[in-house]
Each structure stands twice: as C-alpha cells, then as structure tokens.
mmCIF file of all heavy atoms in Angstrom:
data_model
loop_
_atom_site.group_PDB
_atom_site.id
_atom_site.type_symbol
_atom_site.label_atom_id
_atom_site.label_comp_id
_atom_site.label_asym_id
_atom_site.label_seq_id
_atom_site.Cartn_x
_atom_site.Cartn_y
_atom_site.Cartn_z
ATOM 1 N N ALA A 1 60.176 144.983 180.597
ATOM 2 C CA ALA A 1 60.512 144.237 179.344
ATOM 3 C C ALA A 1 61.155 142.954 179.612
ATOM 4 O O ALA A 1 61.654 142.181 178.766
ATOM 5 C CB ALA A 1 61.361 144.988 178.332
ATOM 6 N N TYR A 2 61.163 142.503 181.002
ATOM 7 C CA TYR A 2 62.010 141.380 181.353
ATOM 8 C C TYR A 2 61.548 140.138 180.770
ATOM 9 O O TYR A 2 62.469 139.328 180.274
ATOM 10 C CB TYR A 2 61.840 141.243 182.944
ATOM 11 C CG TYR A 2 62.459 140.093 183.634
ATOM 12 C CD1 TYR A 2 63.837 140.019 183.884
ATOM 13 C CD2 TYR A 2 61.727 138.907 183.937
ATOM 14 C CE1 TYR A 2 64.363 138.904 184.442
ATOM 15 C CE2 TYR A 2 62.320 137.845 184.527
ATOM 16 C CZ TYR A 2 63.637 137.780 184.756
ATOM 17 O OH TYR A 2 64.151 136.688 185.322
ATOM 18 N N PHE A 3 60.258 139.851 180.804
ATOM 19 C CA PHE A 3 59.854 138.455 180.195
ATOM 20 C C PHE A 3 59.737 138.618 178.634
ATOM 21 O O PHE A 3 59.872 137.558 177.917
ATOM 22 C CB PHE A 3 58.419 138.139 180.722
ATOM 23 C CG PHE A 3 58.510 137.687 182.166
ATOM 24 C CD1 PHE A 3 57.883 138.586 183.122
ATOM 25 C CD2 PHE A 3 59.041 136.577 182.456
ATOM 26 C CE1 PHE A 3 58.014 138.212 184.604
ATOM 27 C CE2 PHE A 3 59.023 136.117 183.921
ATOM 28 C CZ PHE A 3 58.534 137.015 184.825
ATOM 29 N N THR A 4 59.526 139.765 178.170
ATOM 30 C CA THR A 4 59.401 139.918 176.692
ATOM 31 C C THR A 4 60.731 139.435 176.017
ATOM 32 O O THR A 4 60.647 138.894 174.955
ATOM 33 C CB THR A 4 59.068 141.451 176.291
ATOM 34 O OG1 THR A 4 57.909 141.773 176.995
ATOM 35 C CG2 THR A 4 58.941 141.657 174.758
ATOM 36 N N ARG A 5 61.751 139.928 176.545
ATOM 37 C CA ARG A 5 63.167 139.575 175.853
ATOM 38 C C ARG A 5 63.312 138.016 175.925
ATOM 39 O O ARG A 5 63.929 137.560 174.968
ATOM 40 C CB ARG A 5 64.283 140.173 176.735
ATOM 41 C CG ARG A 5 64.325 141.772 176.727
ATOM 42 C CD ARG A 5 64.486 142.245 175.307
ATOM 43 N NE ARG A 5 63.232 142.546 174.556
ATOM 44 C CZ ARG A 5 63.180 142.586 173.245
ATOM 45 N NH1 ARG A 5 64.081 142.194 172.442
ATOM 46 N NH2 ARG A 5 62.008 142.884 172.688
ATOM 47 N N THR A 6 62.925 137.386 176.938
ATOM 48 C CA THR A 6 63.050 135.944 176.982
ATOM 49 C C THR A 6 62.154 135.314 175.951
ATOM 50 O O THR A 6 62.606 134.398 175.127
ATOM 51 C CB THR A 6 62.568 135.376 178.246
ATOM 52 O OG1 THR A 6 63.303 135.919 179.381
ATOM 53 C CG2 THR A 6 62.781 133.897 178.461
ATOM 54 N N GLU A 7 60.980 135.819 175.627
ATOM 55 C CA GLU A 7 60.072 135.234 174.720
ATOM 56 C C GLU A 7 60.608 135.518 173.289
ATOM 57 O O GLU A 7 60.437 134.621 172.378
ATOM 58 C CB GLU A 7 58.633 135.852 174.791
ATOM 59 C CG GLU A 7 57.986 135.361 176.007
ATOM 60 C CD GLU A 7 56.537 135.883 175.980
ATOM 61 O OE1 GLU A 7 56.073 136.554 175.199
ATOM 62 O OE2 GLU A 7 55.725 135.374 176.901
ATOM 63 N N CYS A 8 61.223 136.675 173.092
ATOM 64 C CA CYS A 8 61.762 137.034 171.772
ATOM 65 C C CYS A 8 62.922 135.949 171.376
ATOM 66 O O CYS A 8 62.934 135.515 170.127
ATOM 67 C CB CYS A 8 62.268 138.393 171.753
ATOM 68 S SG CYS A 8 61.164 139.711 171.797
ATOM 69 N N VAL A 9 63.695 135.588 172.279
ATOM 70 C CA VAL A 9 64.816 134.687 171.992
ATOM 71 C C VAL A 9 64.257 133.141 172.028
ATOM 72 O O VAL A 9 64.516 132.392 171.159
ATOM 73 C CB VAL A 9 65.960 134.836 173.146
ATOM 74 C CG1 VAL A 9 66.978 133.682 172.833
ATOM 75 C CG2 VAL A 9 66.556 136.266 173.002
ATOM 76 N N ALA A 10 63.495 132.788 173.106
ATOM 77 C CA ALA A 10 63.218 131.376 173.249
ATOM 78 C C ALA A 10 61.834 131.035 172.761
ATOM 79 O O ALA A 10 61.561 129.847 172.566
ATOM 80 C CB ALA A 10 63.298 131.073 174.776
ATOM 81 N N GLY A 11 60.911 131.987 172.575
ATOM 82 C CA GLY A 11 59.623 131.765 172.015
ATOM 83 C C GLY A 11 58.584 131.377 173.162
ATOM 84 O O GLY A 11 57.436 131.298 172.993
ATOM 85 N N VAL A 12 59.210 131.284 174.407
ATOM 86 C CA VAL A 12 58.349 130.972 175.577
ATOM 87 C C VAL A 12 59.111 131.564 176.859
ATOM 88 O O VAL A 12 60.338 131.640 176.872
ATOM 89 C CB VAL A 12 58.177 129.454 175.641
ATOM 90 C CG1 VAL A 12 59.457 128.736 175.956
ATOM 91 C CG2 VAL A 12 57.112 129.016 176.767
ATOM 92 N N GLN A 13 58.392 131.848 177.868
ATOM 93 C CA GLN A 13 59.000 132.401 179.060
ATOM 94 C C GLN A 13 59.634 131.311 179.922
ATOM 95 O O GLN A 13 60.628 131.536 180.510
ATOM 96 C CB GLN A 13 57.962 133.020 179.975
ATOM 97 C CG GLN A 13 57.409 134.397 179.318
ATOM 98 C CD GLN A 13 56.494 135.095 180.322
ATOM 99 O OE1 GLN A 13 56.295 134.808 181.460
ATOM 100 N NE2 GLN A 13 55.778 136.046 179.839
ATOM 101 N N ASP A 14 59.066 130.148 179.857
ATOM 102 C CA ASP A 14 59.549 129.100 180.882
ATOM 103 C C ASP A 14 59.227 127.719 180.451
ATOM 104 O O ASP A 14 58.073 127.557 179.852
ATOM 105 C CB ASP A 14 58.723 129.355 182.238
ATOM 106 C CG ASP A 14 59.414 128.720 183.340
ATOM 107 O OD1 ASP A 14 59.364 127.409 183.335
ATOM 108 O OD2 ASP A 14 59.513 129.183 184.366
ATOM 109 N N MET A 15 60.102 126.820 180.539
ATOM 110 C CA MET A 15 59.928 125.339 180.245
ATOM 111 C C MET A 15 60.188 124.279 181.251
ATOM 112 O O MET A 15 60.518 123.228 181.090
ATOM 113 C CB MET A 15 60.769 124.983 178.880
ATOM 114 C CG MET A 15 60.299 125.733 177.738
ATOM 115 S SD MET A 15 60.839 125.041 176.122
ATOM 116 C CE MET A 15 62.690 125.016 176.434
ATOM 117 N N ARG A 16 60.126 124.888 182.497
ATOM 118 C CA ARG A 16 60.371 124.084 183.570
ATOM 119 C C ARG A 16 59.300 123.044 184.097
ATOM 120 O O ARG A 16 59.557 122.033 184.653
ATOM 121 C CB ARG A 16 60.735 124.855 184.853
ATOM 122 C CG ARG A 16 62.047 125.490 184.913
ATOM 123 C CD ARG A 16 62.218 126.468 186.047
ATOM 124 N NE ARG A 16 61.308 127.578 185.972
ATOM 125 C CZ ARG A 16 61.394 128.609 186.884
ATOM 126 N NH1 ARG A 16 62.085 128.491 187.920
ATOM 127 N NH2 ARG A 16 60.508 129.722 186.650
ATOM 128 N N PHE A 17 58.078 123.280 183.499
ATOM 129 C CA PHE A 17 56.870 122.451 183.877
ATOM 130 C C PHE A 17 56.879 122.004 185.273
ATOM 131 O O PHE A 17 57.021 120.806 185.696
ATOM 132 C CB PHE A 17 56.977 121.243 182.930
ATOM 133 C CG PHE A 17 56.679 121.587 181.548
ATOM 134 C CD1 PHE A 17 57.814 121.790 180.664
ATOM 135 C CD2 PHE A 17 55.291 121.800 181.030
ATOM 136 C CE1 PHE A 17 57.496 122.073 179.334
ATOM 137 C CE2 PHE A 17 55.177 122.153 179.670
ATOM 138 C CZ PHE A 17 56.137 122.302 178.889
ATOM 139 N N GLN A 18 56.568 123.048 186.134
ATOM 140 C CA GLN A 18 56.596 122.814 187.550
ATOM 141 C C GLN A 18 55.514 121.825 188.005
ATOM 142 O O GLN A 18 55.703 121.279 189.181
ATOM 143 C CB GLN A 18 56.326 124.094 188.266
ATOM 144 C CG GLN A 18 57.330 125.256 187.990
ATOM 145 C CD GLN A 18 58.736 124.967 188.658
ATOM 146 O OE1 GLN A 18 58.897 123.897 189.244
ATOM 147 N NE2 GLN A 18 59.592 125.892 188.516
ATOM 148 N N GLU A 19 54.545 121.415 187.237
ATOM 149 C CA GLU A 19 53.581 120.468 187.597
ATOM 150 C C GLU A 19 54.206 119.097 187.955
ATOM 151 O O GLU A 19 53.648 118.221 188.613
ATOM 152 C CB GLU A 19 52.481 120.354 186.601
ATOM 153 C CG GLU A 19 52.944 120.097 185.077
ATOM 154 C CD GLU A 19 52.960 121.302 184.222
ATOM 155 O OE1 GLU A 19 53.738 122.197 184.715
ATOM 156 O OE2 GLU A 19 52.421 121.414 183.222
ATOM 157 N N PHE A 20 55.492 118.777 187.463
ATOM 158 C CA PHE A 20 56.094 117.524 187.717
ATOM 159 C C PHE A 20 56.893 117.642 188.928
ATOM 160 O O PHE A 20 57.346 116.660 189.541
ATOM 161 C CB PHE A 20 56.972 117.078 186.625
ATOM 162 C CG PHE A 20 56.083 116.861 185.322
ATOM 163 C CD1 PHE A 20 56.322 117.695 184.134
ATOM 164 C CD2 PHE A 20 55.267 115.805 185.171
ATOM 165 C CE1 PHE A 20 55.599 117.429 183.052
ATOM 166 C CE2 PHE A 20 54.520 115.582 184.161
ATOM 167 C CZ PHE A 20 54.624 116.378 183.017
ATOM 168 N N MET A 21 57.328 118.810 189.489
ATOM 169 C CA MET A 21 58.174 119.085 190.480
ATOM 170 C C MET A 21 57.627 118.380 191.862
ATOM 171 O O MET A 21 58.479 117.786 192.620
ATOM 172 C CB MET A 21 58.460 120.627 190.737
ATOM 173 C CG MET A 21 59.104 120.922 192.022
ATOM 174 S SD MET A 21 57.863 121.431 193.321
ATOM 175 C CE MET A 21 57.132 122.837 192.674
ATOM 176 N N PRO A 22 56.397 118.468 192.182
ATOM 177 C CA PRO A 22 55.870 117.941 193.446
ATOM 178 C C PRO A 22 56.053 116.428 193.614
ATOM 179 O O PRO A 22 55.993 115.897 194.658
ATOM 180 C CB PRO A 22 54.374 118.298 193.495
ATOM 181 C CG PRO A 22 54.284 119.457 192.568
ATOM 182 C CD PRO A 22 55.231 119.113 191.560
ATOM 183 N N ASP A 23 56.515 115.707 192.539
ATOM 184 C CA ASP A 23 56.821 114.314 192.597
ATOM 185 C C ASP A 23 57.778 113.919 193.655
ATOM 186 O O ASP A 23 57.644 113.042 194.354
ATOM 187 C CB ASP A 23 57.157 113.689 191.219
ATOM 188 C CG ASP A 23 55.983 113.665 190.195
ATOM 189 O OD1 ASP A 23 54.971 114.352 190.441
ATOM 190 O OD2 ASP A 23 56.140 112.882 189.247
ATOM 191 N N ILE A 24 58.902 114.870 193.613
ATOM 192 C CA ILE A 24 59.912 114.631 194.639
ATOM 193 C C ILE A 24 59.311 114.773 196.117
ATOM 194 O O ILE A 24 59.759 113.964 197.023
ATOM 195 C CB ILE A 24 61.070 115.539 194.405
ATOM 196 C CG1 ILE A 24 61.668 115.222 192.956
ATOM 197 C CG2 ILE A 24 62.168 115.444 195.460
ATOM 198 C CD1 ILE A 24 62.783 116.194 192.621
ATOM 199 N N LEU A 25 58.453 115.727 196.193
ATOM 200 C CA LEU A 25 57.940 115.973 197.632
ATOM 201 C C LEU A 25 57.004 114.785 198.055
ATOM 202 O O LEU A 25 57.130 114.380 199.201
ATOM 203 C CB LEU A 25 57.058 117.262 197.611
ATOM 204 C CG LEU A 25 57.862 118.490 197.084
ATOM 205 C CD1 LEU A 25 56.818 119.810 197.192
ATOM 206 C CD2 LEU A 25 59.043 118.862 198.075
ATOM 207 N N HIS A 26 56.372 114.251 196.996
ATOM 208 C CA HIS A 26 55.524 113.030 197.355
ATOM 209 C C HIS A 26 56.388 111.782 197.534
ATOM 210 O O HIS A 26 55.970 110.905 198.428
ATOM 211 C CB HIS A 26 54.483 112.810 196.175
ATOM 212 C CG HIS A 26 53.493 113.763 196.072
ATOM 213 N ND1 HIS A 26 52.557 113.951 197.131
ATOM 214 C CD2 HIS A 26 53.088 114.645 195.171
ATOM 215 C CE1 HIS A 26 51.754 114.959 196.729
ATOM 216 N NE2 HIS A 26 52.005 115.368 195.567
ATOM 217 N N TRP A 27 57.533 111.668 196.947
ATOM 218 C CA TRP A 27 58.403 110.607 197.184
ATOM 219 C C TRP A 27 58.901 110.742 198.633
ATOM 220 O O TRP A 27 59.110 109.656 199.310
ATOM 221 C CB TRP A 27 59.618 110.680 196.188
ATOM 222 C CG TRP A 27 60.743 109.724 196.466
ATOM 223 C CD1 TRP A 27 60.754 108.457 196.473
ATOM 224 C CD2 TRP A 27 62.023 110.064 197.100
ATOM 225 N NE1 TRP A 27 61.889 107.830 196.839
ATOM 226 C CE2 TRP A 27 62.667 108.865 197.254
ATOM 227 C CE3 TRP A 27 62.732 111.235 197.412
ATOM 228 C CZ2 TRP A 27 63.938 108.707 197.745
ATOM 229 C CZ3 TRP A 27 64.006 111.170 197.955
ATOM 230 C CH2 TRP A 27 64.561 109.923 198.085
ATOM 231 N N LEU A 28 59.056 111.934 199.170
ATOM 232 C CA LEU A 28 59.569 112.125 200.480
ATOM 233 C C LEU A 28 58.497 111.845 201.448
ATOM 234 O O LEU A 28 58.630 111.729 202.635
ATOM 235 C CB LEU A 28 60.147 113.370 200.682
ATOM 236 C CG LEU A 28 61.410 113.747 199.929
ATOM 237 C CD1 LEU A 28 61.744 115.267 200.061
ATOM 238 C CD2 LEU A 28 62.558 112.998 200.695
ATOM 239 N N GLY A 29 57.193 111.730 201.085
ATOM 240 C CA GLY A 29 55.995 111.469 201.854
ATOM 241 C C GLY A 29 55.434 112.744 202.403
ATOM 242 O O GLY A 29 54.705 112.728 203.422
ATOM 243 N N ILE A 30 55.764 113.923 201.823
ATOM 244 C CA ILE A 30 55.284 115.248 202.364
ATOM 245 C C ILE A 30 53.815 115.426 201.999
ATOM 246 O O ILE A 30 53.400 115.266 200.868
ATOM 247 C CB ILE A 30 56.108 116.352 201.738
ATOM 248 C CG1 ILE A 30 57.598 116.321 202.238
ATOM 249 C CG2 ILE A 30 55.547 117.746 202.048
ATOM 250 C CD1 ILE A 30 58.569 117.330 201.553
ATOM 251 N N THR A 31 53.043 115.809 203.086
ATOM 252 C CA THR A 31 51.700 116.178 202.867
ATOM 253 C C THR A 31 51.398 117.582 203.314
ATOM 254 O O THR A 31 50.260 118.141 202.992
ATOM 255 C CB THR A 31 50.767 115.212 203.553
ATOM 256 O OG1 THR A 31 51.142 115.138 205.032
ATOM 257 C CG2 THR A 31 50.920 113.864 203.087
ATOM 258 N N ARG A 32 52.311 118.186 204.095
ATOM 259 C CA ARG A 32 52.173 119.565 204.570
ATOM 260 C C ARG A 32 53.456 120.194 204.616
ATOM 261 O O ARG A 32 54.524 119.632 205.129
ATOM 262 C CB ARG A 32 51.537 119.510 205.912
ATOM 263 C CG ARG A 32 51.099 121.040 206.459
ATOM 264 C CD ARG A 32 50.890 120.988 207.957
ATOM 265 N NE ARG A 32 52.096 120.706 208.705
ATOM 266 C CZ ARG A 32 52.173 120.118 209.832
ATOM 267 N NH1 ARG A 32 51.183 119.466 210.240
ATOM 268 N NH2 ARG A 32 53.320 120.159 210.474
ATOM 269 N N ILE A 33 53.569 121.475 204.286
ATOM 270 C CA ILE A 33 54.770 122.258 204.266
ATOM 271 C C ILE A 33 54.354 123.496 205.191
ATOM 272 O O ILE A 33 53.524 124.210 204.778
ATOM 273 C CB ILE A 33 55.305 122.756 202.943
ATOM 274 C CG1 ILE A 33 55.640 121.515 202.078
ATOM 275 C CG2 ILE A 33 56.441 123.817 203.050
ATOM 276 C CD1 ILE A 33 55.974 121.934 200.609
ATOM 277 N N ASP A 34 55.137 123.672 206.352
ATOM 278 C CA ASP A 34 54.751 124.627 207.241
ATOM 279 C C ASP A 34 55.371 126.008 206.737
ATOM 280 O O ASP A 34 54.722 127.012 206.893
ATOM 281 C CB ASP A 34 55.400 124.380 208.578
ATOM 282 C CG ASP A 34 54.625 123.229 209.251
ATOM 283 O OD1 ASP A 34 53.535 123.193 209.646
ATOM 284 O OD2 ASP A 34 55.243 121.960 209.234
ATOM 285 N N ARG A 35 56.582 125.977 206.118
ATOM 286 C CA ARG A 35 57.158 127.174 205.698
ATOM 287 C C ARG A 35 57.788 126.922 204.294
ATOM 288 O O ARG A 35 58.802 126.113 204.203
ATOM 289 C CB ARG A 35 58.177 127.641 206.610
ATOM 290 C CG ARG A 35 57.741 127.837 207.990
ATOM 291 C CD ARG A 35 58.698 128.300 209.020
ATOM 292 N NE ARG A 35 58.911 129.750 208.912
ATOM 293 C CZ ARG A 35 60.158 130.293 208.762
ATOM 294 N NH1 ARG A 35 61.173 129.612 208.514
ATOM 295 N NH2 ARG A 35 60.257 131.596 208.622
ATOM 296 N N LEU A 36 57.150 127.573 203.287
ATOM 297 C CA LEU A 36 57.756 127.313 201.874
ATOM 298 C C LEU A 36 58.461 128.524 201.582
ATOM 299 O O LEU A 36 58.009 129.734 201.472
ATOM 300 C CB LEU A 36 56.544 127.131 200.916
ATOM 301 C CG LEU A 36 56.916 127.127 199.462
ATOM 302 C CD1 LEU A 36 57.734 125.809 199.142
ATOM 303 C CD2 LEU A 36 55.718 127.130 198.511
ATOM 304 N N VAL A 37 59.796 128.436 201.426
ATOM 305 C CA VAL A 37 60.728 129.494 201.059
ATOM 306 C C VAL A 37 60.807 129.808 199.591
ATOM 307 O O VAL A 37 61.662 129.277 198.845
ATOM 308 C CB VAL A 37 62.105 129.325 201.729
ATOM 309 C CG1 VAL A 37 62.935 130.480 201.539
ATOM 310 C CG2 VAL A 37 62.009 128.775 203.169
ATOM 311 N N SER A 38 59.762 130.353 199.082
ATOM 312 C CA SER A 38 59.684 130.609 197.568
ATOM 313 C C SER A 38 58.659 131.605 197.382
ATOM 314 O O SER A 38 57.543 131.650 198.075
ATOM 315 C CB SER A 38 59.205 129.367 196.904
ATOM 316 O OG SER A 38 58.957 129.579 195.491
ATOM 317 N N MET A 39 58.891 132.484 196.351
ATOM 318 C CA MET A 39 57.873 133.475 196.026
ATOM 319 C C MET A 39 57.144 133.073 194.727
ATOM 320 O O MET A 39 56.153 133.751 194.268
ATOM 321 C CB MET A 39 58.593 134.866 195.729
ATOM 322 C CG MET A 39 59.225 135.455 197.027
ATOM 323 S SD MET A 39 60.233 136.808 196.625
ATOM 324 C CE MET A 39 59.115 138.053 196.193
ATOM 325 N N SER A 40 57.651 131.942 194.131
ATOM 326 C CA SER A 40 57.063 131.532 192.797
ATOM 327 C C SER A 40 55.661 131.192 192.912
ATOM 328 O O SER A 40 55.334 130.216 193.655
ATOM 329 C CB SER A 40 57.929 130.429 192.221
ATOM 330 O OG SER A 40 57.274 129.889 191.141
ATOM 331 N N ASN A 41 54.783 131.739 192.117
ATOM 332 C CA ASN A 41 53.395 131.274 191.979
ATOM 333 C C ASN A 41 53.305 130.012 191.356
ATOM 334 O O ASN A 41 52.372 129.113 191.667
ATOM 335 C CB ASN A 41 52.557 132.376 191.363
ATOM 336 C CG ASN A 41 53.108 132.867 190.095
ATOM 337 O OD1 ASN A 41 54.263 133.005 189.804
ATOM 338 N ND2 ASN A 41 52.132 133.052 189.021
#
C-alpha cells in the first residue's frame, strides 16, 4: 500500500518531473555515465 497512501493524500505519486533532471548533466557536458548509482527507473 506504499504508493496508494501517497496518492490518497497528494492525488499523485510523484511530481519531480525527472524529464528535466538531465539538463544538469548536459550542462556538465556528460554524454556517458559508466556507473549510475541509482535504482530509479
């Protein structure tokens, strides 16, 4: 019920909009990451 409780309160599970996050990586000039320390799909 982990995500259900969030939706009941907030109406949505997540509002981080990760599609904008890579902008910082592109600012750094990154084109390849050898090791990504993240499990987030």
Side-chain angles (χ1 to χ4, degrees):
Y2 175 81
F3 290 108
T4 303
R5 291 299 92 205
T6 302
E7 288 187 358
C8 288
V9 177
V12 65
Q13 291 183 10
D14 193 304
M15 293 197 303
R16 286 173 291 182
F17 292 97
Q18 299 291 4
E19 51 262 58
F20 298 114
M21 169 269 294
D23 288 19
I24 297 177
L25 304 179
H26 289 297
W27 172 69
L28 291 167
I30 292 174
T31 57
R32 187 196 73 218
I33 297 172
D34 295 283
R35 308 178 79 237
L36 178 63
V37 189
S38 174
M39 298 168 70
S40 170
N41 54 319

